[in-house]
Structures are given as C-alpha cells and as structure tokens.
Amino acid sequence: MTPDTAARLVAACNAAAALVVSGALGVTLWCGLARPGTAVAFGLLVAAGELARVRLPEERAEARNTGLLSGAAALGYALCGQVAGASAGHGPAQAVAVAVVGSLVGLTPLVALGQAPPPQALARLVLGVGAAALCCQPLYGRGRSEGAAVPDGLLPLCLLAVALLVGCLDALLAAAAVRADESGAASPGRHGRAPRPQLRSRLATVPALAATAVLFALAVAVAGLPALPLCCAPVLVIQFALRRRASARATHRPTLASLARAPEVAGCTPRGHARRVADLSRAVGRELGLSSGELTALEYAALTHDVGQLSPADPVPGGATAVLDPGSQRRVALLGGAVLRQAGVRRRVASAVESQADPYREQSVTARVLRTVNAYDDLVSGSGSGTSGPGARARALHRLRAAARDHEPRVVEALSRVVARTADV
C-alpha cells in the first residue's frame, strides 16, 4: 500500500464516519432511545474504557493508545440483540450514537491532558460499530422482535465471526493511518509495501477484543445488565498486562541510552555515532518490512553495539570497528554482548550485538542490518565528524557491495534506497 493510497483511504474513512455520526445522532434524537438503561450502561462502559486507555511506546517520539475495553463495549452493544431474554430494541443508529457519546465523554480528560488518540481512532470505532450492527440485524430477525433468525447454537459463532471481521478491518485501517503519517511518505522505493509491522501488532489484540464483545452481548442477553461488570475481567487483565509492559519498556529505554553514551563519553567512539546508526538501522529495518518488535530490538542493539569498546586495553582507532580484522571485531562484539547480558538487557538485543561480527549467513536479520549500517557510518564518517557528502556516501556503498561475503546484498540495497531518500530531503 503506497502512502498516497493510505492517505486517501484514511480521508475517505473520516468522511464516511462523519456522515454516519450525523445520521446516527439525528435518527436517535428523532426516535428516542430504546431501553435507555441499557444504552446508559454500555455508554458508561465505553467511557470507562477510554479513560483506561494504555499508552504503548512504539517510536522514539510517538506512542499508540489502545483501548480494548472501550472497543469491546461498543462492539458488544452493536452485537447485543436481547437483554435478559427480551428484545434489546435498538438499531444501528442507536448503537453508533451510544458508542460516539460514550467515547467522547471518556476522552474529554485525555484531551485536556494531551493524551487523546488521533481522530482516526474515533472514525474507526464509528465505522466498526455501524458495520457490526448492520450485520447483526438479520441474525435477530426483522425489528429485533421475532427472536433470533439463526439456531441458538450458531448465534455465538455468527457473532464471533462478525466481531473478528470488524476487528481485522479496524486493524487494517489503523495500519493504513500509520502508513499515511510516516515521515518521508512520498519518497520513492517504498511503493507497493503494505504496513505489515503495524498490521501484525494490531491484529494480535483482535481475538481478545472480539471474544470480549461477544461475551458482553451473550451475557447481557441471558443475565441482563448485572453481568456487564463480570465480563470486564478478561479485558482488564489484558490491559493491566499491557500497562506493566509499557512501564517496563519506559524504564528500559533510559538504561540503554546511558549504556549507549558511555563509549562516547569515554572517547572510544565518535560523538553521535550510536544515534546515527540507530536511526539509520531503524529506517533500513522498515524498508525490509521488519515487525515492530524487531525494529525495537534493532534500535536498542544499534544504540549499544559499541559498549564492548570499553573493555579492550588498546582503544580502537577512531572507534571504527569496520576497519578491524575479523578476530578483533568478534572480540569487541562478544565483550559488548556480555556487558548487555549482565545489565539485564533482553536476550535478542544482546545476541544481535554479540553476532554483529559473524558471517552474515549465520546472523539474524537484526544483526545483519546492524553490521551493515555500522560499517556504512564508519566508512562515511571517517574521522568521526559525522558529516558526509554524496561522494563519501557513494564510495561507502560501493565498498559494502564489493564486500558481498561480509554484508547481505539485500540489506545493502535497502540501505542504498534509504540513503538516497535521505539525501533528497
């Protein structure tokens, strides 16, 4: 998916959501609420879910908000056809209106704190709830007063299928929004690529959201509104785990940043080298379609790949490990990995640092990118000034292509495309 296509898709979704909201609110105000108690209960649950959003760091200066409870509650209301054995009585318009009002109420404090999600999140919620409510109309019979139109044994499966479909479409639209907002989106060389890392990370939460939404709908159909608090437990456990993980990652990054600065402060590496390698490695990783977790591990490994230079008695001239013999490169890499393991850094990061001097066919893709980008920065910087011209960049890429035994050609070509786009900016 090209950035232009993604931008047009996001704009179309926002426009469609605005029309749906206008129509839903108008119909609801004109016809009034069916079962106001049920509407208020689900609306409050949506608002509570928005307040309980978890902020997940994904980029250095960006974060993704995830509200599993709010999404599950809104979707559950759209799937709900009965309340304690009686017809729920609401249609798609009321389902959308309740989701929108509840979401806006819950987001108001987050807007004041500057932590609200982008407008696309609300647009996706509107479209998802509206689509789910429309798909469920045939399942419950015309007017929702004739009972279920499918056998009782098939109804949960049908509801789950609708919820999974809506969740997958929401993940696709969310990934498209990220793709449309990417820096350098209009650059050549990236056309035709799907936003795979973002899509994979968001699809991981779809089963939990869909299952909780179906649980809301079925539990209310049997036991009424008192079942709502009990149904919140599974998704609250997931959000608690996500919050703990986000907190751990927030404290992990400063630790790695301190380790990354240590070789520069000690004068072992040029100032800014680790940051340049991390930025360029992450860009190359995106070019190769790495997942979000792989990109994070790659950035952390790039930041700390030179900590092994603190151990040798003889410093590396200019801090450029690319000019060392293979034995010295491997010794520095192993020392760096040992330091990271003792510091409690995740295994994947330490392994990438340890293996950065190994033959590329024996390396993970993270280590391959790290080795190539580190060599490129060493060759371009030369004296450690961090400045380079077109000639220095071309010579460095030529040397990397010539050293096909040491650097994977696919990684070198990805680096070449990233460097070309950066030079054009």
Side-chain angles (χ1 to χ4, degrees):
M1 180 185 298
T2 66
D4 290 340
T5 302
R8 286 194 292 268
L9 179 60
V10 170
C13 290
N14 290 341
L19 292 175
V20 170
V21 170
S22 301
L25 292 177
V27 171
T28 303
L29 291 174
W30 180 264
C31 299
L33 285 176
R35 284 188 173 269
T38 304
V40 170
F42 273 97
L44 290 176
L45 194 57
V46 172
E50 295 290 7
L51 286 172
R53 276 182 173 269
V54 180
R55 193 170 174 84
L56 300 178
E58 285 190 332
E59 308 284 346
R60 294 183 303 277
E62 297 177 358
R64 172 166 67 93
N65 285 279
T66 180
L68 289 178
L69 180 56
S70 59
L75 188 56
Y77 188 60
L79 301 178
C80 182
Q82 292 181 330
V83 179
S87 174
H90 64 268
Q94 182 169 317
V96 170
V98 169
V100 169
V101 173
S103 182
L104 291 177
V105 170
L107 288 176
T108 300
L110 297 182
V111 172
L113 295 174
Q115 299 178 359
Q120 292 89 345
L122 185 58
R124 298 197 313 269
L125 178 68
V126 167
L127 296 179
V129 168
L134 283 174
C135 291
C136 287
Q137 291 295 295
L139 299 179
Y140 291 107
R142 181 177 298 177
R144 293 183 179 248
S145 60
E146 303 172 7
V150 296
D152 291 340
L154 292 179
L155 181 60
L157 295 178
C158 293
L159 294 179
L160 183 60
V162 171
L164 288 173
L165 177 60
V166 169
C168 291
L169 291 176
D170 178 82
L172 178 61
L173 292 176
V178 174
R179 181 73 169 119
D181 292 340
E182 279 184 348
S183 59
S187 303
R190 294 290 294 274
H191 297 287
R193 292 182 177 271
R196 290 174 292 177
Q198 296 85 0
L199 183 59
R200 282 196 295 264
S201 65
R202 292 176 185 274
L203 284 175
T205 62
V206 169
L209 185 146
T212 305
V214 174
L215 182 62
F216 280 143
L218 296 179
V220 169
V222 175
L225 295 180
L228 281 179
L230 297 178
C231 298
C232 295
V235 73
L236 288 177
V237 170
I238 295 174
Q239 290 210 170
F240 177 76
L242 289 174
R243 194 177 296 275
R244 290 288 300 271
R245 178 171 175 264
S247 177
R249 290 178 64 181
T251 59
H252 193 61
R253 190 180 292 271
T255 301
L256 289 173
S258 299
L259 285 173
R261 286 194 296 269
E264 296 182 6
V265 173
C268 298
T269 59
R271 189 168 298 276
H273 169 71
R275 184 73 266 170
R276 291 195 303 273
V277 173
D279 291 342
L280 193 52
S281 295
R282 192 165 186 116
V284 173
R286 285 201 193 95
E287 186 73 23
L288 294 172
L290 300 188
S291 66
S292 177
E294 289 172 327
L295 289 174
T296 301
L298 176 58
E299 180 183 4
Y300 289 168
L303 283 172
T304 56
H305 72 280
D306 275 330
V307 295
Q309 294 199 41
L310 294 172
S311 300
D314 297 326
V316 178
T321 55
V323 300
L324 297 177
D325 60 273
S328 299
Q329 289 184 19
R330 189 166 290 107
R331 183 167 58 253
V332 171
L334 291 175
L335 288 170
V339 171
L340 294 179
R341 291 184 187 278
Q342 293 178 5
V345 176
R346 65 180 67 174
R347 182 180 60 85
R348 184 160 56 175
V349 175
S351 297
V353 172
E354 284 177 340
S355 62
Q356 62 179 310
D358 295 343
Y360 80 80
R361 291 180 178 85
E362 303 175 9
Q363 294 175 322
S364 64
V365 64
T366 304
R368 294 179 187 185
V369 174
L370 173 58
R371 176 175 186 168
T372 299
V373 174
N374 177 50
Y376 171 81
D377 191 78
D378 284 342
L379 293 172
V380 169
S381 299
S383 63
S385 62
T387 60
S388 62
R393 293 192 292 266
R395 286 191 296 271
L397 290 171
H398 176 74
R399 291 187 60 178
L400 293 178
R401 291 190 178 99
R405 296 178 54 185
D406 298 325
H407 303 281
E408 183 182 9
R410 182 174 67 105
V411 176
V412 176
E413 294 311 312
L415 171 63
S416 176
R417 291 193 297 270
V418 171
V419 170
R421 289 199 303 270
T422 304
D424 291 338
V425 174

